[in-house]
Amino acid sequence: MNITLVMAGDEEGGLEKHVVELAHGLQQHGHQVTVIAHEKYRDRLQVHFVAVDLSKSRRNIFVLYQLYKALKNENADIVHVHGNKAAAMVSLLLPYLKLKSVATLHSRKKNTKMFKAFNAVIAVSPNAAEVLDHPHKHVVLNGIEPPILNANIMKHTPPVVLAVGRLVPVKGFDVLIQAWKGIQNAELWIVGDGFEKEKLQHLITELDLEQSVKLLGFRSDIAELMQQASLYVMSSHYEGCPYTMIEALLCKTPMVSTAVGAMTMVLPEQYLCPENDVDRLNQLMRNALVDLEEMQKNYKAVYAFAAKELVLDGMLRNVESVYREVLNAE
């Protein structure tokens, strides 16, 4: 297939990582792939690349015309756009382009009307799919290249509970830090940067948790940290299908989480709690740390699922199936 992927914005996160890995994976599967995106992503993509600055207003006439010309020139079998903004921009152009189209919703959004113009829509979690009003919607969980595990890495002593993400309100790290109160003989490591860093550090000090809660900042060795950790925790208020969940499971690190996004589909129910519930999150972490061996047994089937379905090849098979359905439709 001749496939064009479209990505708006100029940020760094799960969506951008997803598009890069999807582009390379599709190319390795023998497809002809083009990516239309901001110039900053050119160097990390080893596929045909067309630079259009979609970080500007979604109604910028000049940018929309550039995007129209790029899509028309590529004349792909399938145009696959990622995220609400890209969907909003491309949906305005579809009436003037005779193209088959797919869009991916990467997290639950209130406004999804821009997805109605596409032949099919992919949601990265059941939670996100719930808000889509579309006759041809599919849930395709994210998949990644499996991390390279280091057999020499040992679990940290005392046990480490690891959390990874941008230090922003949606990740619920303030709730996590409050839920850590009273947990002993373990350490909480929070990895990531963001504008809430000072606020979170103040909260750690206020709760007298400096000895057991560490803000590690940005790190590039996430797989190694996952292997050192005895438990991974997510405290987010909402998510799609986060890469850190997948990394934890592929590193065979069990996790507890708020019941959001793909976690409700993948993780055992007994390890989920409501969002913003300090007491329940505290209890989940306490229970896990008391019997980590039992938790590992309960996660065997989850690890097997992740190794099959949450790796890049599994995701590619599912995405290609959606493409074929769209191309074969009348």
Side-chain angles (χ1 to χ4, degrees):
M1 286 178 264
N2 180 354
I3 302 160
T4 294
L5 307 179
V6 181
M7 173 171 61
D10 59 353
E11 300 178 357
E12 299 291 340
L15 185 152
E16 291 75 26
K17 179 180 173 68
H18 173 87
V19 172
V20 171
E21 293 192 349
L22 177 62
H24 291 155
L26 289 170
Q27 183 168 263
Q28 289 167 10
H29 275 212
H31 304 294
Q32 182 180 334
V33 180
T34 296
V35 173
I36 299 174
H38 192 283
E39 175 67 33
K40 69 177 287 186
Y41 303 110
R42 182 188 295 273
D43 291 344
R44 70 191 77 174
L45 282 156
Q46 281 73 58
V47 301
H48 182 231
F49 185 86
V50 178
V52 180
D53 184 3
L54 302 181
S55 66
K56 297 178 180 177
S57 168
R58 63 185 64 188
R59 295 194 175 276
N60 184 305
I61 297 299
F62 178 69
V63 173
L64 287 171
Y65 180 63
Q66 282 187 303
L67 179 57
Y68 169 81
K69 286 201 304 180
L71 289 169
K72 191 172 180 62
N73 287 342
E74 295 306 319
N75 193 31
D77 299 318
I78 288 281
V79 173
H80 186 176
V81 309
H82 292 265
N84 283 45
K85 185 176 182 182
M89 298 176 88
V90 174
S91 68
L92 295 173
L93 305 176
L94 285 176
Y96 310 102
L97 296 163
K98 295 180 180 179
L99 297 171
K100 297 285 190 176
S101 59
V102 175
T104 292
L105 175 64
H106 284 263
S107 63
R108 188 181 178 108
K109 301 288 186 181
K110 290 182 179 178
N111 181 9
T112 61
K113 64 182 180 181
M114 66 283 295
F115 290 92
K116 291 184 178 181
F118 293 86
N119 296 115
V121 182
I122 294 171
V124 300
S125 73
N127 185 260
E130 285 177 357
V131 301
L132 283 170
D133 178 18
H134 198 286
H136 303 290
K137 63 182 179 181
H138 308 261
V139 175
V140 177
L141 301 180
N142 286 337
I144 66 172
E145 286 286 1
I148 298 172
L149 304 184
N150 186 340
N152 296 319
I153 294 179
M154 306 295 291
K155 294 297 182 186
H156 189 274
T157 303
V160 163
V161 176
L162 180 67
V164 180
R166 292 174 296 124
L167 305 186
V168 293
V170 70
K171 297 299 182 182
F173 288 132
D174 55 339
V175 176
L176 174 58
I177 291 167
Q178 292 174 67
W180 191 256
K181 188 72 175 175
I183 295 178
Q184 299 178 340
N185 302 317
E187 294 182 4
L188 173 62
W189 295 356
I190 300 176
V191 176
D193 279 327
F195 65 84
E196 282 212 311
K197 183 176 182 178
E198 186 175 334
K199 172 187 170 183
L200 295 176
Q201 188 60 64
H202 178 75
L203 181 60
I204 292 167
T205 302
E206 182 181 298
L207 296 176
D208 195 25
L209 296 173
E210 296 100 324
Q211 297 305 309
S212 62
V213 180
K214 312 293 182 186
L215 299 182
L216 301 187
F218 172 80
R219 296 284 291 260
S220 59
D221 56 343
I222 301 300
E224 288 82 358
L225 293 172
M226 292 283 191
Q227 291 174 82
Q228 291 181 57
S230 295
L231 181 68
Y232 185 71
V233 60
M234 293 197 72
S235 51
S236 300
H237 298 299
Y238 64 83
E239 287 282 355
C241 182
Y243 278 78
T244 53
M245 175 195 75
I246 303 172
E247 287 175 308
L249 298 179
L250 294 178
C251 290
K252 296 188 175 180
T253 302
M255 61 183 290
V256 299
S257 174
T258 47
V260 296
M263 279 67 73
T264 60
M265 180 177 176
V266 176
L267 305 186
E269 187 176 356
Q270 67 263 38
Y271 299 117
L272 299 174
C273 70
E275 60 166 304
N276 211 31
D277 191 332
V278 171
D279 293 338
R280 182 64 183 136
L281 184 57
N282 172 276
Q283 195 61 54
L284 280 182
M285 291 189 290
R286 283 178 183 270
N287 291 346
L289 289 167
V290 165
D291 199 345
L292 289 165
E293 188 174 336
E294 178 66 19
M295 194 175 189
Q296 283 288 7
K297 291 178 184 176
N298 293 337
Y299 261 83
K300 280 187 177 180
V302 182
Y303 298 150
F305 173 84
K308 180 182 179 183
E309 298 295 337
L310 302 183
V311 292
L312 190 57
D313 276 345
M315 180 187 73
L316 288 170
R317 287 195 306 271
N318 293 326
V319 170
E320 287 169 325
S321 176
V322 176
Y323 291 168
R324 285 192 293 271
E325 180 181 308
V326 168
L327 290 174
N328 292 333
E330 291 296 328

